Amino acid sequence: MRVPLLRGANLNTLFADRDDVIRAAALAVLGLASALIYLLLTVRMSFIEFFPGPGITLDFVKMLGPDWQENTALLLTSFAGLFVLYGLALVTLGRGHGPLSLAALGLSALAFALVLTFMYPPQAVDFIHNVADARTLWVHGDNAMVVPPNAHPFPVGQSYGHESAPYGPLWFLLLFPVLLAGDSIQFALHILKFYTSLYYLGSAILIFLLARQLTPGRELFAAALYAWNPFVVLRVAGNGHNDVVMFFFVLLALWALVNERWRYLIPLLVASALIKYVSLMLIPPVVLAGFLMAGNRRLFLRETAVGLGLALVLAVACFAFFWEGADTFEIVRRQGDKFITSTPLVLREQLRVRTEISDVTSDSVARWAGIAAFDACYAALLLSLWRSKAGAIPLIACLSLMMLTFSFFGVTWYRPWYMLWPLTLLPLVPGRWAVGLIVAISMGGMLPDLIEQYRHNLDFFREHYLWSVAAPVIVAFVPAALVLLAGWARTRHSLLSDDGAGVPLAQPSP
C-alpha cells in the first residue's frame, strides 16, 4: 500500500525548495571552481614560499619570475575565469534565492577568504607595512602615526619603510589582533590578513541586510555582486587593503540611516574617516539625506547634535594616543604632493612635454584642475540628491558616484584598490546600469598593475612616453566612464534612478 507522503504538502513550497537546491548546487560548483583559481594563484604567490625572503617586499613580478608574457597570460586567464564564474553566479541568483543559496554564497565567500589568507600580497606592499605598523604600536609601544616601520627590526625591508602610513588613528588601534601572534611575524601575517577579510565578510552581511530592507527579493543578488566580485576578493582578501575597514563603517552608517538611528550617523562616518580621511566627504550628503528623510526633523536635528558630540569625543579619544602636533599629519601632507597613475598625472605630463611652463607650475595646474573637476561633480551630485527628495537608494547612488568621480579627478596619488570605495556601495543600487558600472569598474581595475609593471617591455610604450603614462589610467577609468555616460544619457538622471534604472535584475523567489 502506498503511503501518501506528500498529502497536504504545499506543492509551490516544494518546487521552490527544489529550485533552491538546484541553485545552491550550482553556486557550490561555481564557488569551488573560483576557490580553485584563487588557490592556484596563492600557491604561485604564497607567504609560505616567499616570506621573509631576501631584500625588500615582493610583488607578483618577482614572485612569478622573469617571463612577463607567461605571467601576463597566467593572470589574465585567471582573471577571465573568475569573472566568467562571477557572471554565472549572478545569473543563477538573478532567477531567485533561498536559504540554501544563501548558505552556498556565504560559505564560498568564507572559502575565498581562507584560501587567500596565505597569499603574499601580489599587487601592493601596503599590507606588509600594516603588519609592521601594528607591531610598532602594539609590540614596541611607539606612535605608529609618526614612527616608520624601519625604526624596529623586521625580517624584510619594505617599500616606504622609512615613512609612517598616512592613515587615521583608529586604523592603528584596530590592529590589536597582532598581539595574538606574539613574537611570530609569520603568524601575524596570517592573523591580520584574515582579520581584514572579516570586514569583507561583515560588509557582505551588511549589504545583504540593507538590500533586504531597501529592495526586498534582491538581497542575495546584491551580496553576491560584492562578495563574489573577483576585484573585491583579490584586493581585500588577497592584498589585505584596509579600505574595506573604512567602508565597513560607512555601511554601518547607512544601516543607522535606514533604521532612523540618527545619533549614530556622524559617529560612524567619523569612525570611517579615522581610518582613512577621505570618507569625511560623505558626511554632508548623508546628513542632508537624513534631514530630508526624517519624519520628525526636530528630533533628527537633536539626535544629530548628540551624534556630533559623540563623534568629537571619539576623534579626541583616538588622536589622544598619537598626537604629536603638526607632525601627526606630516605624512598625509607629503603624500598629497605626490603623483602616481592618476588623471592629474596625465595632465601634468602633457603640460611638461607640450608646454614650456615650469615643473612646479605644471604640478599646481594639474592638481587644481583635478580638484576643480571633482568639486563640480560633488556639487552637482549634492544638488541631484536634494532634488531627488532623498531616500536611501538615491543617497547610496550619490555616495557611489562621489567616490568614483573622486577617483577619476580628485586624487593625484591613485591606486587601483580605491575602486573598492564605489564597489562597496553600488551593489545596493538597483538597476542594470549599476550592475554594468560594477562590471566595468572591476574588470578595468584588474589591469593597471599589469600595465605599470610590464609596459617597459613593449616598444610602443618605450617610444611613446605619454601613452605609457596614460595607459593604466585609461584602462582604469574609461570603461567605467563610458558606462556612466551611457547610463546618464539613457536615464536622464545623474543618480541613474529613473524608471528604467529602478528595475532590479534579481527576481523575488516564488
Side-chain angles (χ1 to χ4, degrees):
M1 183 175 107
R2 292 186 179 180
V3 179
L5 294 176
L6 298 181
R7 181 177 295 169
N10 186 323
L11 292 180
N12 289 332
T13 302
L14 176 64
F15 287 127
D17 290 343
R18 184 192 66 182
D19 290 344
D20 189 31
V21 170
I22 294 172
R23 279 191 300 270
L27 287 173
V29 172
L30 296 171
L32 178 60
S34 298
L36 289 174
I37 295 176
Y38 290 127
L39 179 61
L40 168 66
L41 293 174
T42 299
V43 169
R44 293 293 304 271
M45 301 175 287
S46 71
F47 280 127
I48 296 172
E49 181 175 355
F50 292 105
F51 190 90
I56 201 167
T57 46
L58 304 178
D59 56 22
F60 70 90
V61 174
K62 299 180 182 68
M63 288 187 283
L64 294 180
D67 191 335
W68 71 273
Q69 293 173 314
E70 179 182 323
N71 299 341
T72 301
L74 168 67
L75 293 174
L76 290 179
T77 302
S78 300
F79 297 161
L82 289 168
F83 273 101
V84 168
L85 295 167
Y86 175 53
L88 291 173
L90 295 179
V91 170
T92 301
L93 288 170
R95 295 172 179 168
H97 66 273
L100 294 178
S101 300
L102 173 61
L105 175 69
L107 289 173
S108 296
L110 177 60
F112 302 160
L114 288 170
V115 167
L116 291 169
T117 295
F118 298 92
M119 176 182 277
Y120 196 126
Q123 297 162 311
V125 298
D126 296 30
F127 177 74
I128 307 297
H129 203 294
N130 292 342
V131 174
D133 290 333
R135 290 178 55 80
T136 296
L137 175 63
W138 290 102
V139 175
H140 301 291
D142 283 337
N143 184 348
M145 289 188 71
V146 297
V147 177
N150 286 354
H152 299 286
F154 200 79
V156 295
Q158 297 156 79
S159 296
Y160 305 105
H162 60 289
E163 295 181 343
S164 54
Y167 304 136
L170 183 57
W171 166 244
F172 300 104
L173 293 173
L174 289 174
L175 292 174
F176 65 89
V178 74
L179 293 172
L180 298 174
D183 293 329
S184 173
I185 294 177
Q186 281 83 353
F187 193 26
L189 295 170
H190 300 305
I191 287 176
L192 291 183
K193 195 78 165 318
F194 186 69
Y195 173 67
T196 303
S197 292
L198 290 178
Y199 288 93
Y200 147 74
L201 297 171
S203 296
I205 292 171
L206 284 171
I207 290 169
F208 177 88
L209 296 175
L210 283 165
R212 187 167 63 180
Q213 288 185 267
L214 298 172
T215 50
R218 188 181 172 274
E219 56 268 24
L220 197 56
F221 184 78
L225 278 170
Y226 175 81
W228 273 38
N229 187 330
F231 179 89
V232 172
V233 174
L234 283 169
R235 293 294 179 181
V236 175
N239 287 278
H241 291 300
N242 63 355
D243 304 77
V244 67
V245 184
M246 172 178 69
F247 263 81
F248 175 79
F249 286 99
V250 173
L251 289 172
L252 282 176
L254 291 175
W255 180 88
L257 177 98
V258 169
N259 291 279
E260 299 186 358
R261 307 292 179 87
W262 308 125
R263 71 171 55 188
Y264 301 114
L265 284 182
I266 295 180
L268 287 168
L269 290 171
V270 167
S272 173
L274 290 170
I275 295 168
K276 278 192 169 183
Y277 303 115
V278 66
S279 51
L280 281 172
M281 72 176 67
L282 302 182
I283 294 177
V286 171
V287 172
L288 172 62
F291 177 77
L292 295 173
M293 291 169 61
N296 185 334
R297 290 181 175 175
R298 286 187 178 181
L299 175 63
F300 171 81
L301 293 173
R302 185 167 63 248
E303 289 290 286
T304 301
V306 173
L308 180 60
L310 294 173
L312 289 173
V313 170
L314 174 64
V316 170
C318 289
F319 274 109
F321 289 96
F322 303 96
W323 190 252
E324 297 284 350
D327 290 343
T328 311
F329 302 101
E330 178 60 27
I331 185 60
V332 178
R333 288 193 294 269
R334 289 210 303 268
Q335 182 160 323
D337 292 334
K338 299 176 181 178
F339 287 76
I340 186 172
T341 309
S342 61
T343 303
L345 172 65
V346 176
L347 176 58
R348 187 193 75 173
E349 295 307 304
Q350 291 281 346
L351 290 171
R352 288 185 174 184
V353 171
R354 301 185 186 280
T355 71
E356 297 181 357
I357 63 176
S358 68
D359 288 353
V360 173
T361 302
S362 62
D363 284 5
S364 181
V365 169
R367 178 178 290 107
W368 286 105
I371 291 172
F374 168 68
D375 286 348
C377 294
Y378 187 87
L381 289 167
L382 269 183
L383 181 60
S384 293
L385 182 64
W386 174 268
R387 288 177 174 173
S388 72
K389 306 302 181 185
I393 291 177
L395 169 66
I396 295 168
C398 176
L399 300 181
S400 303
L401 297 180
M402 283 179 173
M403 291 287 93
L404 186 60
T405 53
F406 182 68
S407 299
F408 283 178
F409 305 117
V411 290
T412 59
W413 179 281
Y414 171 79
R415 302 312 299 143
W417 52 88
Y418 294 176
M419 287 302 183
L420 288 168
W421 308 341
L423 287 174
T424 304
L425 300 176
L426 279 170
L428 292 167
V429 181
R432 298 181 184 278
W433 290 109
V435 174
L437 200 51
I438 289 170
V439 173
I441 292 171
S442 302
M443 295 184 72
M446 306 297 278
L447 302 177
D449 305 278
L450 282 170
I451 294 174
E452 287 176 342
Q453 294 294 338
Y454 291 139
R455 57 189 165 188
H456 64 276
N457 291 294
L458 296 174
D459 292 337
F460 177 81
F461 287 136
R462 287 198 297 267
E463 295 169 3
H464 299 84
Y465 169 70
L466 291 178
W467 279 108
S468 73
V469 173
V473 178
I474 290 171
V475 298
F477 297 157
V478 169
L482 291 175
V483 172
L484 189 58
L485 291 172
W488 283 341
R490 179 67 177 84
T491 65
R492 299 184 183 279
H493 196 292
S494 59
L495 300 181
L496 304 180
S497 58
D498 74 353
D499 292 340
V503 181
L505 280 178
Q507 301 300 318
S509 54

